[in-house]
Amino acid sequence: ETGVTQTPRHLVMGMTNKKSLKCEQHLGHNAMYWYKQSAKKPLELMFVYSLEERVENNSVPSRFSPECPNSSHLFLHLHTLQPEDSALYLCASSQDSRGGAGETQYFGPGTRLLVL
Amino acid sequence: AQTVTQSQPEMSVQEAETVTLSCTYDTSENNYYLFWYKQPPSRQMILVIRQEAYKQQNATENRFSVNFQKAAKSFSLKISDSQLGDTAMYFCAFRGTGTASKLTFGTGTRLQVTL
């Protein structure tokens, strides 16, 4: 399988549930990202990992917990979410995160999350 | 902080015609990268074209080309010979070259290609 994959593609959860989103990249990249896409709003960067180390956390609530066990996998653990957290969660990867020529980000298909 | 503005929420074009999507940005940096991404109804965000600010020549990828006006901070996307498969949301994005830079997206333009 090539590119960036995400599972599950759709997720419905209650506010007391705990779930995890998974992202896997097959591009040999060193940096991975989580974005949130809500209706009528620009994509919001949530987290950046470079070589498995978190390099950016954009004031995301603690009910979202990222994990990057290696450079190919990225998780987003969810717990006690709110209805306003319903959105499309996109994962992306790039060669590096330092802003050079290898910065082009490639996106996965997203997970559509609905919090009831 | 950088901002990206897409002033056209929706556009429509007939098949085989040409359409131009607008994007302006604001930055104090001299070196940076600009991108156009396409997000069809399937939701997969796909890179369409990329432009390095230090290159004067406009980037081209098949039917897609950009008009990059650095002084005006303008980065429009032209789609020639529009096809039904071009129907999608199009996002303009900016990234600086500093280590703390991040990819900043506009709010998108919804393009509908009609018969």
Side-chain angles (χ1 to χ4, degrees):
Chain A
E1 194 160 11
T2 59
V4 182
T5 58
Q6 288 184 245
T7 55
R9 294 294 307 275
H10 302 272
L11 178 62
V12 180
M13 59 187 291
M15 289 191 284
T16 58
N17 291 157
K18 288 185 180 181
K19 297 287 184 184
S20 295
L21 309 185
K22 178 183 176 181
C23 175
E24 184 173 0
Q25 59 96 1
H26 310 269
L27 300 168
H29 288 166
N30 293 318
M32 297 187 77
Y33 310 77
W34 279 118
Y35 287 88
K36 176 183 179 182
Q37 186 177 26
S38 305
K40 302 192 188 222
K41 292 174 71 175
L43 267 74
E44 300 171 61
L45 178 65
M46 300 175 73
F47 301 104
V48 180
Y49 275 83
S50 179
L51 295 171
E52 301 137 53
E53 182 179 334
R54 189 189 308 180
V55 296
E56 188 158 341
N57 174 355
N58 267 12
S59 303
V60 179
S62 60
R63 57 185 184 269
F64 294 91
S65 175
E67 178 190 0
C68 188
N70 55 62
S71 59
S72 298
H73 294 86
L74 184 65
F75 295 89
L76 188 62
H77 304 299
L78 317 170
H79 62 98
T80 60
L81 293 192
Q82 304 298 311
E84 59 264 30
D85 297 323
S86 298
L88 181 70
Y89 288 85
L90 292 166
C91 174
S93 72
S94 67
Q95 184 62 46
D96 63 57
S97 67
R98 292 168 296 172
E103 170 50 30
T104 300
Q105 294 182 24
Y106 296 87
F107 286 80
T111 295
R112 170 67 64 188
L113 174 66
L114 177 62
V115 182
L116 300 176
Chain B
Q2 289 85 9
T3 58
V4 178
T5 302
Q6 292 180 250
S7 59
Q8 305 153 313
E10 295 184 3
M11 293 194 72
S12 180
V13 63
Q14 283 193 317
E15 198 177 20
E17 297 296 309
T18 296
V19 64
T20 299
L21 309 183
S22 302
C23 174
T24 58
Y25 57 93
D26 188 26
T27 183
S28 58
E29 297 186 46
N30 191 46
N31 290 324
Y32 46 87
Y33 297 88
L34 295 162
F35 306 85
W36 277 99
Y37 282 91
K38 166 186 176 181
Q39 189 178 38
S42 67
R43 294 291 182 178
Q44 179 92 43
M45 189 82 76
I46 302 164
L47 177 68
V48 175
I49 200 164
R50 185 182 89 162
Q51 175 82 42
E52 290 92 341
Y54 61 85
K55 289 188 177 178
Q56 293 184 341
Q57 186 171 9
N58 289 323
T60 299
E61 286 288 342
N62 300 315
R63 298 182 294 107
F64 299 88
S65 62
V66 298
N67 183 5
F68 173 48
Q69 302 289 328
K70 190 173 183 179
K73 294 180 182 173
S74 171
F75 182 60
S76 61
L77 175 70
K78 185 172 83 170
I79 305 174
S80 304
D81 186 25
S82 298
Q83 301 175 0
L84 295 177
D86 295 334
T87 293
M89 282 289 289
Y90 286 81
F91 293 94
C92 179
F94 169 100
R95 199 203 195 277
T97 53
T99 55
S101 293
K102 63 179 183 181
L103 197 58
T104 301
F105 285 85
T107 51
T109 295
R110 183 175 302 280
L111 177 67
Q112 180 71 47
V113 180
T114 59
L115 292 171

